[in-house]
Amino acid sequence: MLQSHYSSELLEKAVNEINRLPGIGSKTALRLALHLLRQDEERVEALAESLVEMRKGVHYCKVCYNICDEEKCEICSNPTRDSSLVCVVENVQDVMAIENTMQYRGLYHVLGGVISPMDGIGPSDLQIESLVERVKKGGVEEVILALSPTMEGDTTNYFIYRKLEETGVKVTVIARGIAQNDELQYTDEVTLGRALAGRIPFGK
Amino acid sequence: MLQSHYSSELLEKAVNEINRLPGIGSKTALRLALHLLRQDEERVEALAESLVEMRKGVHYCKVCYNICDEEKCEICSNPTRDSSLVCVVENVQDVMAIENTMQYRGLYHVLGGVISPMDGIGPSDLQIESLVERVKKGGVEEVILALSPTMEGDTTNYFIYRKLEETGVKVTVIARGIAQNDELQYTDEVTLGRALAGRIPFGK
């Protein structure tokens, strides 16, 4: 473990700031700081500015709570997308992952997390109420739950399902089964059990 | 691999800037950017400022070329350090590592790298000439070579040794042998051979 034998206070301050980032230890922080010291001043300024401008300029879409630069995100503003379909995801990365499949033409609703009493995250910390309001406004025919298949994801799925029951909207959940190229013998029991229970007619 | 389905250009720009840092891939860059988005604006500004201020404010000590905030570093300015001893190291991290041992009270000379023709680094890219000048000025009785025991380190050691020969200064190299708590049977032949050749009287 490196102790605080920094020969420069400016270097030490920068290292400490970088060290605050998640998953960046003190040695990596020092390595990154020394790398930046070797770069042109303009490059360091470009990095610094991009961070501040992002933090100041980024909005959350008022419809789906995805990250965007305007009031409404590109997906919600796109008239060719199917606005009767709303896919509920945990975060921005999940939107990107689904967009990358090129298989989905509906809209999203970004919860901002999942219900997790252990981490002190309750339903009111998430965009669940806004989802219910959105469905009540009309136009939504199907809500697709696409949360991670964890205990927290399942809890959140069930909570949303109960909240949406009164609206009468169709609620579906993405298929759970064995992943492409996985070997059956190494698949865990829960996944295999669900894959069996969720079997569909062949050729469909 | 994530494709460029960023819903925000500001986010994408910041991710690309972070992604330029060594050892930070695009997924980590996205994770860090989204982390910063969740922080207070002041925190992001503090990080950005610390980077720019470090890049603008950091000097290289005019004596030993260590990183510092003034013209001369704290170690070179410290009158209680032994100025007759100069320890030659590759970089700033090595200075920190030696300082952490609390075993050394002399001064340093930071080369800024080692001779590496493969990477296009020749003697003139390093602070070797300034070391020779420093020794010629007088007051230095021993130069301790503390470079990594690699082919490049050995080449650089030998180059410096030849350059310093005319000055008559005593040149030593840090001991190479088996590391504390290493097991003899798993030690490589070169290290073990050197440890044998470099044996010292027991109890010394």
Side-chain angles (χ1 to χ4, degrees), chain B residues 157-188:
Chain B
N157 276 344
Y158 189 67
F159 186 88
I160 294 173
Y161 172 70
R162 290 298 300 270
K163 278 276 181 185
L164 288 176
E165 248 180 344
E166 50 169 327
T167 67
V169 75
K170 183 177 168 189
V171 179
T172 57
V173 63
I174 55 167
R176 293 171 185 193
I178 53 171
Q180 187 71 17
N181 296 327
D182 261 12
E183 285 203 53
L184 203 80
Q185 60 176 324
Y186 300 123
T187 306
D188 67 283

Side-chain angles (χ1 to χ4, degrees), chain B residues 5 72 79 103 117 159 173 204:
Chain B
H5 277 299
K72 211 168 155 182
Q103 301 277 319
F159 186 88
V173 63
K204 202 182 173 184

Side-chain angles (χ1 to χ4, degrees), chain B residues 79-147:
Chain B
T80 71
R81 308 271 314 206
D82 183 353
S83 62
S84 70
L85 271 178
V86 172
C87 181
V88 177
V89 292
E90 184 177 338
N91 55 40
V92 182
Q93 287 105 313
D94 298 338
V95 173
M96 290 182 183
I98 294 177
E99 286 296 289
N100 281 340
T101 67
M102 316 270 259
Q103 301 277 319
Y104 182 67
R105 296 297 301 161
L107 306 183
Y108 294 94
H109 199 86
V110 182
L111 292 185
V114 283
I115 298 172
S116 174
M118 293 282 281
D119 303 310
I121 302 173
S124 59
D125 298 314
L126 308 172
Q127 294 297 340
I128 293 177
E129 207 49 59
S130 60
L131 172 67
V132 177
E133 289 304 314
R134 192 173 165 189
V135 171
K136 278 184 182 164
K137 269 188 190 162
V140 179
E141 285 165 26
E142 182 179 347
V143 171
I144 304 168
L145 301 172
L147 304 179

Side-chain angles (χ1 to χ4, degrees), chain A residues 80-135:
Chain A
T80 71
R81 308 269 315 205
D82 183 354
S83 62
S84 71
L85 270 178
V86 172
C87 181
V88 177
V89 292
E90 185 177 339
N91 56 39
V92 182
Q93 285 105 315
D94 297 339
V95 173
M96 290 183 183
I98 295 177
E99 286 296 289
N100 280 340
T101 68
M102 316 270 257
Q103 301 277 319
Y104 182 67
R105 297 296 304 161
L107 306 183
Y108 293 93
H109 199 86
V110 182
L111 290 185
V114 284
I115 298 171
S116 174
M118 293 281 281
D119 303 310
I121 303 174
S124 60
D125 300 313
L126 307 172
Q127 294 297 341
I128 293 177
E129 206 48 59
S130 60
L131 172 68
V132 177
E133 289 305 312
R134 192 174 165 187
V135 171

